[in-house]
Amino acid sequence: MQSEQLKDLVIESLENMKGKEISCLDVRELTDITDYMIIVSGTSNRHVKSLADAVVVDMKQQGIQPLGSEGEAGSEWVLVDLDEVVVHVMLPATRQFYDLERLWEGSHQQQIDEQDS
């Protein structure tokens, strides 16, 4: 599966679980570690964990085995590593504090429009 297809599947999964302020950073020209970083906010610790769990389950259903996941215990920031795509699921305060979008400001950044429910 191409990294762009994987990115689209992850975004769809996050949208289905009502992830907030989804951002996609294209970091292919900045690092060899991954192609895309997707950053999303959850409304509570439980929502953050549910978003990360949904990504893992949805990707496994597509035959994609995540390389790892970190941060489930505290659920303020959960990272899901899918190799070509790394997903950062964060509480809004944690996201604002670490400001990954600014850290990777040389990347092409795309804000995903939230769908009305």
Side-chain angles (χ1 to χ4, degrees):
M1 178 176 293
Q2 298 290 329
S3 60
E4 287 194 27
Q5 292 171 310
L6 179 57
K7 166 194 66 127
D8 293 340
L9 286 173
V10 169
I11 290 169
E12 182 179 339
S13 177
L14 294 170
E15 287 176 335
N16 289 341
M17 290 296 294
K18 308 294 186 204
K20 304 293 182 192
E21 300 179 33
I22 302 170
S23 290
C24 179
L25 286 60
D26 182 343
V27 295
R28 291 178 286 189
E29 295 182 14
L30 300 176
T31 183
D32 292 333
I33 296 171
T34 191
D35 291 344
Y36 295 98
M37 288 191 192
I38 297 175
I39 305 169
V40 61
S41 296
T43 58
S44 66
N45 293 62
R46 177 174 276 178
H47 189 217
V48 166
K49 183 167 180 2
S50 295
L51 285 163
D53 289 347
V55 168
V56 170
V57 168
D58 291 348
M59 294 310 107
K60 284 182 177 180
Q61 288 176 347
Q62 295 292 324
I64 301 159
Q65 185 64 39
L67 297 179
S69 184
E70 298 282 336
E72 293 91 348
S75 298
E76 288 184 20
W77 180 356
V78 180
L79 181 141
V80 179
D81 187 348
L82 300 166
D83 195 21
E84 293 97 357
V85 176
V86 174
V87 185
H88 299 273
V89 187
M90 309 167 105
L91 287 175
T94 305
R95 184 174 179 172
Q96 183 178 6
F97 181 79
Y98 288 100
D99 198 7
L100 295 179
E101 287 95 341
R102 186 179 58 77
L103 180 67
W104 291 95
E105 69 184 348
S107 67
H108 173 71
Q109 299 185 17
Q110 176 186 8
Q111 184 72 29
I112 309 301
D113 292 333
E114 294 180 31
Q115 297 176 341
D116 296 324
S117 340

